[in-house]
């Protein structure tokens, strides 16, 4: 029967059918474009996702170009979605305000079935009810004084370890040129830091990295890297990185390709193996900790890592018959912390060190401040221990970090997706519109910042009422931040805003500030070679940006 139908058509008929289909597709595509609600300036979209030719691989540059060419509000079609780029703080009101606006709650276009278990925590969670419970538990856990004190203690200890490796490497160098790949070290430092903060288990990323250079191996690696152990932190964090950087591929590659085309299938398999390893490790860890809790609840009282606090708080909630977390949610919350906390903090630290080294007057002022806070800490051989009391006094250092975030935000452009009709920038938008919030261009706009191209921490430091403004270190729960200056409250966006503001911002500030001070107080010898180090840092940071941009471009062109 089917053969007979095919025989009814000749080649010309087939060509006509193809042509008609193409014509209908193009007609529909451009009809939708020209009749779209709220038409805005922007490049003409191309069918078959060809519009990605407008994208040169760098999202920050794309946002800046669109702003330069089309103004504060414009649109572009990318990755199959209409994206509205907003480059004016006023336009962020409904997107970043703390008032509950569920139509603008979603951050991602992934559907729940493609998220796997990772959509259950906070980061990838588009379900408000489950996200709310997760957020409540995470904040309960990470805002306890014990948790923060422990985070500072771990930074001190890990810095001690790092300092030890660097000293050993320095000693093993014959000439006095000692080369450090700062970004690699710092990424491992932050990985070990998040590892112990999140799970209470010691990591060995720094130790295994050190062992790649030196025949005089660190014993720590072999003791912690043992595969028979419950937790092999190095393997775990490598699996996390593979999953994290590859997960987006799973969402954008068509199911047919990833199931049947070997190239895609192999790539996806590696990502899925990493995912399974992460899930297995965390499941074991949760089981073990729950058992500890059952057998010896007193023992857990002295532990302040995220996993232990989540389990104890969750058990309290269960006993009071109030809302509690499932194991899957606990697991995803831990993953969120690994994923959201390590790269962001290590990249920021690289920028911080870069700007300090390029601005000698800033460096001097910072040294003066740290000298006044640690009057006896000038001797590099002396062990300097940072406490929370020190951190709140380091106002100039904190201003350096904020100025770094202004000039080089870790998240230069963020995203919200409308799940229902909503109002943004004075227009009414249909569901599925994506809004891209262009923070980076605002941070460098002369209307909001005097001499925006000058690295000047004083613009934060000299504010009389600084302690009340954008003070992530002190006012952790103050989500209703007022303006950092009188121009506009959204002219500086570091940690996002509104309901989905970064819950780890205080932890991030603690880690970055502590590391920065320890580094400049204790490793003075390193900065004798500052110019050399600077060029290394910059090239690695630029490489990181380039690689992530290429990944994004690849995804968009698929
Ligand atoms: C320099 C360090 C960091 C920066 C710059 C940063 C920045 C951000 C930004 C911009 C967002 C998105 C907010 C939005 O969409 O409005 C975010 C979300 C998030 N961050 Fe951070 N972050 C940092 C460190 C951390 C750390 C250390 C943690 C771990 C506790 C963390 C956990 C999270 C989580 C769980 C979310 C998702 C929140 C949600 O979707 O509701 N971040 N972060």
């Amino acid at each position: 029967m089917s053969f007979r139908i095919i025989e009814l058509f000749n080649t010309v008929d087939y060509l006509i059918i193809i042509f008609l289909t193409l014509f209908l597709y193009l007609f529909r595509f451009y009809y939708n474009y020209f009749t779209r609600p709220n038409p805005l300036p922007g490049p003409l979209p191309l069918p078959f996702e060809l519009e990605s030719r407008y994208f040169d691989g760098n999202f920050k540059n794309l946002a800046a170009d669109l702003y330069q060419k089309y103004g504060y509000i414009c649109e572009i079609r990318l990755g199959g979605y209409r994206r509205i780029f907003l480059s004016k703080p006023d336009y962020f009101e409904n997107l970043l305000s703390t008032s509950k606006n569920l139509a603008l709650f979603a951050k991602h276009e992934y559907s729940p079935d493609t998220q796997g278990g990772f959509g259950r925590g906070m980061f990838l969670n588009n379900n408000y009810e489950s996200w709310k419970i997760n957020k409540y538990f995470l904040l309960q856990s990470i805002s306890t004084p014990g948790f923060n004190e422990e985070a500072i203690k771990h930074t001190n200890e890990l810095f001690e370890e790092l300092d030890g490796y660097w000293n050993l490497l320095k000693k093993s160098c014959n000439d006095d040129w000692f080369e450090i790949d700062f970004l690699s070290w710092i990424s491992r430092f932050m990985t070990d830091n998040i590892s112990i903060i999140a799970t209470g288990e010691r990591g060995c990323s720094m130790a295994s990295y050190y062992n790649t250079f030196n025949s005089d191996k660190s014993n720590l690696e072999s003791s912690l890297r043992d595969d028979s152990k419950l937790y092999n932190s190095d393997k775990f964090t490598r699996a996390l990185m593979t999953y994290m950087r590859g997960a987006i591929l799973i969402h954008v590659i068509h199911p047919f390709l990833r199931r049947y085309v070997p190239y895609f299938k192999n790539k996806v398999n590696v990502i899925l193996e990493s995912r399974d390893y992460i899930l297995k490790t965390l499941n074991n860890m949760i089981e073990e900790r729950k058992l500890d809790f059952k057998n010896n609840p007193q023992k857990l009282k002295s532990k302040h890592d995220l996993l232990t606090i989540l389990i104890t708080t969750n058990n309290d909630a269960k006993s009071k018959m109030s809302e509690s977390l499932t194991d899957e949610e606990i697991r995803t919350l831990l993953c969120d912390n690994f994923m959201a906390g390590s790269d962001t903090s290590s990249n920021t630290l690289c920028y911080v060190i870069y700007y300090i080294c390029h601005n000698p007057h800033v460096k001097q002022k910072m040294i003066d401040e740290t000298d006044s806070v640690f009057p006896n800490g000038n001797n590099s051989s002396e062990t300097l221990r940072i406490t929370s009391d020190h951190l709140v006094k380091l106002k100039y250092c904190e201003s350096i970090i904020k100025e770094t975030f202004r000039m080089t935000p870790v998240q230069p452009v963020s995203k919200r997706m409308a799940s229902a009709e909503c109002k943004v920038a004075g227009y009414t938008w249909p569901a599925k519109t994506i809004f891209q919030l262009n923070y980076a261009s605002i941070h460098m706009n002369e209307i909001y910042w005097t001499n925006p191209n000058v690295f000047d921490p004083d613009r934060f430091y000299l504010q009389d009422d600084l302690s009340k403004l954008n003070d992530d270190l002190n006012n952790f729960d103050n989500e209703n931040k007022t303006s950092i200056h009188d121009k506009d409250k959204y002219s500086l966006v570091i940690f996002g805003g509104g309901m989905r503001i970064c819950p780890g911002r205080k932890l991030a500030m603690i880690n970055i500030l502590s590391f920065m001070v320890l580094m400049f107080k204790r490793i003075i010898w390193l900065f004798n070679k500052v110019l050399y180090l600077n060029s290394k840092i910059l090239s690695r940071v630029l490489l990181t940006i380039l690689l992530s941009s290429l990944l994004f471009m690849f995804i968009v062109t698929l």
Side-chain angles (χ1 to χ4, degrees):
M1 174 67 184
S2 58
F3 270 110
R4 281 198 198 137
I5 292 173
I6 289 172
E7 280 161 14
L8 288 176
F9 297 97
N10 61 29
T11 318
V12 176
D13 293 332
Y14 283 119
L15 284 176
I16 290 172
I17 290 171
I18 293 171
F19 177 79
L20 269 178
T21 317
L22 210 67
F23 175 79
L24 281 176
Y25 169 78
L26 289 178
F27 179 81
R28 190 169 164 265
F29 182 85
Y30 282 111
Y31 177 81
N32 285 345
Y33 174 70
F34 287 111
T35 56
R36 70 201 186 280
N38 313 323
L40 293 173
L44 187 76
L46 296 175
F48 307 113
E49 314 295 323
L50 290 175
E51 59 266 353
S52 55
R53 76 177 177 90
Y54 297 121
F55 187 49
D56 78 345
N58 185 318
F59 214 58
K60 183 179 167 188
N61 287 352
L62 173 74
D65 287 350
L66 287 171
Y67 163 62
Q68 290 293 338
K69 223 167 164 185
Y70 302 107
Y72 287 122
I73 178 162
C74 57
E75 68 174 270
I76 187 171
R77 219 184 117 89
L78 267 185
Y81 284 90
R82 181 184 184 195
R83 290 163 196 265
I84 311 301
F85 272 74
L86 306 167
S87 306
K88 197 177 183 187
D90 303 357
Y91 295 158
F92 298 167
E93 192 55 51
N94 277 355
L95 294 149
L96 296 185
S97 78
T98 47
S99 58
K100 189 170 143 186
N101 186 353
L102 291 188
L104 287 166
F105 172 76
K107 281 204 295 193
H108 307 277
E109 56 270 37
Y110 312 137
S111 60
D113 57 315
T114 52
Q115 282 168 349
F118 288 87
R120 303 257 183 270
M122 286 183 70
F123 211 79
L124 294 180
N125 200 341
N126 281 344
N127 177 316
Y128 174 72
E129 289 306 324
S130 108
W131 170 89
K132 191 175 71 177
I133 300 168
N134 277 280
K135 181 172 180 175
Y136 169 80
F137 276 95
L138 183 72
L139 288 186
Q140 284 282 312
S141 311
I142 67 177
S143 48
T144 59
F147 183 86
N148 294 323
E149 290 304 324
E150 202 77 352
I152 300 172
K153 191 181 118 203
H154 293 316
T155 304
N156 280 309
E157 286 167 1
L158 287 169
F159 195 86
E160 195 85 353
E161 187 188 328
L162 176 70
D163 192 13
Y165 296 138
W166 282 0
N167 273 315
L168 287 171
L169 288 176
K170 189 167 157 251
K171 269 189 209 143
S172 67
C173 281
N174 292 334
D175 58 52
D176 64 347
W177 269 120
F178 171 45
E179 188 179 327
I180 282 182
D181 182 344
F182 188 74
L183 184 61
S184 296
W185 276 106
I186 204 71
S187 310
R188 284 160 174 92
F189 176 93
M190 283 301 167
T191 300
D192 285 351
N193 199 7
I194 293 285
S195 174
I196 196 152
I197 289 172
T199 65
E201 302 286 341
R202 183 94 192 249
C204 66
S205 300
M206 279 196 290
S208 53
Y209 189 54
Y210 168 77
N211 285 353
T212 60
F213 295 105
N214 213 324
S215 51
D216 175 20
K217 305 267 184 221
S218 156
N219 298 331
L220 189 66
E221 188 195 5
S222 49
S223 69
L224 296 174
R225 215 183 163 173
D226 180 357
D227 257 340
S228 62
K229 290 204 168 186
L230 185 69
Y231 178 58
N232 175 336
S233 75
D234 197 41
K235 195 169 165 189
F236 179 77
T237 41
R238 271 183 289 124
L240 256 177
M241 291 303 153
T242 310
Y243 179 73
M244 203 167 98
R245 286 164 192 168
I248 310 170
L249 285 179
I250 300 182
H251 301 296
V252 293
I253 297 175
H254 193 276
F256 177 81
L257 294 179
R258 56 177 203 251
R259 275 183 214 136
Y260 304 109
V261 178
Y263 174 78
F264 292 106
K265 201 175 157 187
N266 294 343
K267 283 224 165 304
V268 168
N269 279 350
V270 173
I271 298 165
L272 293 182
E273 274 166 26
S274 302
R275 184 197 63 187
D276 293 344
Y277 179 75
I278 299 166
L279 299 183
K280 195 178 107 205
T281 310
L282 290 178
N283 282 345
N284 288 344
M285 210 180 257
I286 293 169
E287 277 310 309
E288 181 109 335
R289 204 62 58 87
K290 276 164 70 179
L291 212 68
D292 278 356
F293 183 81
K294 209 168 152 197
N295 296 337
N296 191 354
Q298 285 309 317
K299 189 179 136 201
L300 291 195
K301 283 225 162 106
S302 59
K303 293 192 88 165
H304 298 285
D305 60 90
L306 180 60
L307 175 58
T308 307
I309 306 178
L310 281 177
I311 286 182
T312 42
T313 323
N314 204 31
N315 275 304
D316 283 354
K318 275 183 192 158
S319 61
K320 287 180 197 145
M321 308 279 280
S322 45
E323 276 176 308
S324 58
L325 297 176
T326 60
D327 283 2
E328 193 182 5
E329 285 169 330
I330 294 183
R331 195 178 65 196
T332 317
L333 272 179
L334 290 180
C335 282
D336 277 358
N337 284 277
F338 271 102
M339 296 199 203
S342 57
D343 269 9
T344 44
S345 304
S346 47
N347 283 348
T348 305
L349 255 168
C350 284
Y351 295 130
V352 167
I353 307 281
Y354 174 82
Y355 283 118
I356 293 175
C357 292
H358 270 84
N359 293 279
H361 64 289
V362 171
K363 186 174 156 200
Q364 191 50 53
K365 205 163 168 180
M366 181 198 81
I367 290 173
D368 292 345
E369 180 176 84
T370 51
D371 282 351
S372 70
V373 175
F374 304 98
N376 303 318
N378 280 330
N379 183 352
S380 62
S381 63
E382 197 174 315
T383 306
L384 184 141
R385 292 254 149 198
I386 298 205
T387 64
S388 50
D389 291 342
H390 292 132
L391 291 186
V392 288
K393 288 184 197 150
L394 294 164
K395 287 291 167 206
Y396 188 71
C397 294
E398 201 184 324
S399 306
I400 294 177
I401 300 174
K402 284 177 180 157
E403 180 66 344
T404 304
F405 275 130
R406 183 189 68 80
M407 289 195 72
T408 324
V410 175
Q411 197 179 93
V413 181
S414 84
K415 185 166 79 175
R416 292 287 188 275
M417 184 173 188
S419 51
E421 192 180 85
C422 61
K423 261 198 159 297
V424 168
Y427 297 88
T428 304
W429 300 95
K432 292 209 168 157
T433 310
I434 289 184
F435 300 97
Q436 303 280 179
L437 293 77
N438 179 7
Y439 306 134
S441 295
I442 293 172
H443 289 186
M444 298 305 275
N445 189 331
E446 278 175 352
I447 296 178
Y448 306 106
W449 301 94
T450 324
N451 298 326
N453 291 313
V454 176
F455 184 80
D456 179 16
D458 278 343
R459 61 177 99 237
F460 296 104
Y461 186 60
L462 299 179
Q463 293 275 328
D464 291 343
D465 43 359
L466 182 85
S467 61
K468 288 187 223 111
L469 304 177
N470 272 272
D471 198 347
D472 298 297
L473 202 58
N474 292 312
N475 303 320
F476 177 52
D477 282 326
N478 181 9
E479 294 189 3
N480 292 312
K481 63 183 184 185
T482 35
S483 170
I484 189 78
H485 55 68
D486 54 10
K487 296 267 171 41
D488 200 292
K489 67 177 169 175
Y490 298 120
S491 53
L492 180 76
V493 183
I494 300 174
F495 292 106
M499 285 193 286
R500 303 205 76 158
I501 194 168
C502 172
R505 59 200 186 280
K506 182 172 185 181
L507 180 62
M509 289 300 277
I510 287 177
N511 284 341
I512 296 169
L513 197 51
S514 314
F515 187 96
M516 173 181 154
V517 173
L518 286 165
M519 174 110 182
F520 280 93
K521 286 302 280 181
R522 293 196 44 183
I523 311 194
I524 295 151
W525 54 265
L526 185 70
F527 293 95
N528 293 335
K529 314 284 183 215
V530 123
L531 278 177
Y532 184 61
L533 179 76
N534 278 347
S535 62
K536 283 262 147 195
I537 292 176
L538 187 63
S539 59
R540 286 306 304 268
V541 167
L542 289 177
L543 191 69
T544 315
I545 295 174
L546 188 71
L547 286 177
S548 23
S549 303
L550 282 176
L551 175 70
F552 188 86
M553 189 170 69
F554 173 61
I555 289 162
V556 164
T557 32
L558 273 173

